[in-house]
Amino acid sequence: IVPASASVHPTDFVQFRVVASLNNGTSAPFDEDLHWSSSDDEVVRVRADGQAMARRTGHAYIKVAWGGRDENGRAAVVNAEAMVIVPTIKAIAIEPAEPELWLDQEFRLKAIGIYSDQSRREVARVEWRSANRDIAGADPSGLAIGRALGKTSISAALKDNPSIVGTTTLRVKQPPLQD
């Protein structure tokens, strides 16, 4: 199976395929009468064409079986497997770090998940909070608005695990005077 292992984030896909080693020392893709399965469909689900989708944190083995006949007409059964790891979020960073807004300005903050495989990607499943909503707040999508001059702490907590929180300081400034 190619790839032999993969690290895939939830809702992402990886395409597995079979490469056959031939008697003449070469290899070739093989896709006839293959039967794909996952050792844990809750973690990774695999379709009949070998495309696997990560569903939640964990690991699973992707298995493929082929039952057919070899070049001499004898019954042949081939089994192979590959491992899929779905990394976990270990921390959240808020981008930009320490943002500054003008009074009444809106700006979208991003919650960036830092995963167990050291990858980083934006996370939507967070709850935004402001320590002082009179200065600035953030809506469910991370849209912040400066309401009064000053500084406040803005945090994003992972909805699935509220103990994983990222925090930044947001400053609301007076806009420059216009001529």
Side-chain angles (χ1 to χ4, degrees), residues 88-165:
T88 59
I89 295 177
K90 296 295 186 184
I92 293 177
I94 296 177
E95 291 183 355
E98 300 187 12
E100 294 184 348
L101 300 177
W102 304 122
L103 190 60
D104 296 322
Q105 179 186 11
E106 293 180 346
F107 187 82
R108 187 172 177 286
L109 301 170
K110 293 181 182 179
I112 306 299
I114 302 167
Y115 288 81
S116 56
D117 64 357
Q118 303 306 311
S119 63
R120 298 168 62 96
R121 63 175 16 189
E122 188 171 2
V123 178
R125 303 174 328 272
V126 296
E127 184 176 330
W128 291 94
R129 293 190 184 118
S130 172
N132 187 337
R133 294 189 60 76
D134 292 335
I135 293 175
D139 75 4
S141 72
L143 184 66
I145 184 166
R147 296 185 176 120
L149 301 179
K151 291 182 181 179
T152 187
S153 176
I154 302 286
S155 63
L158 191 62
K159 286 184 179 179
D160 298 344
N161 184 350
S163 67
I164 300 176
V165 180

Side-chain angles (χ1 to χ4, degrees), residues 4-156:
S5 65
S7 179
V8 186
H9 291 266
T11 72
D12 282 355
F13 295 89
V14 62
Q15 181 66 52
F16 287 98
R17 58 191 176 88
V18 172
V19 176
S21 297
L22 305 176
N23 289 338
N24 64 6
T26 64
S27 59
F30 185 81
D31 61 4
E32 294 178 23
D33 299 320
L34 298 175
H35 302 282
W36 295 92
S37 63
S38 170
S39 64
D40 189 339
D41 281 335
E42 294 299 314
V43 174
V44 178
R45 181 165 290 161
V46 63
R47 297 185 338 187
D49 65 356
Q51 185 181 61
M53 182 182 83
R55 301 182 69 202
R56 69 170 176 80
T57 300
H59 70 276
Y61 290 97
I62 301 302
K63 300 176 182 181
V64 64
W66 174 78
R69 304 239 172 237
D70 65 17
E71 64 270 7
N72 298 320
R74 295 181 296 224
V77 176
V78 177
N79 293 295
E81 67 182 27
M83 181 178 220
V84 177
I85 298 171
V86 184
T88 59
I89 295 177
K90 296 295 186 184
I92 293 177
I94 296 177
E95 291 183 355
E98 300 187 12
E100 294 184 348
L101 300 177
W102 304 122
L103 190 60
D104 296 322
Q105 179 186 11
E106 293 180 346
F107 187 82
R108 187 172 177 286
L109 301 170
K110 293 181 182 179
I112 306 299
I114 302 167
Y115 288 81
S116 56
D117 64 357
Q118 303 306 311
S119 63
R120 298 168 62 96
R121 63 175 16 189
E122 188 171 2
V123 178
R125 303 174 328 272
V126 296
E127 184 176 330
W128 291 94
R129 293 190 184 118
S130 172
N132 187 337
R133 294 189 60 76
D134 292 335
I135 293 175
D139 75 4
S141 72
L143 184 66
I145 184 166
R147 296 185 176 120
L149 301 179
K151 291 182 181 179
T152 187
S153 176
I154 302 286
S155 63

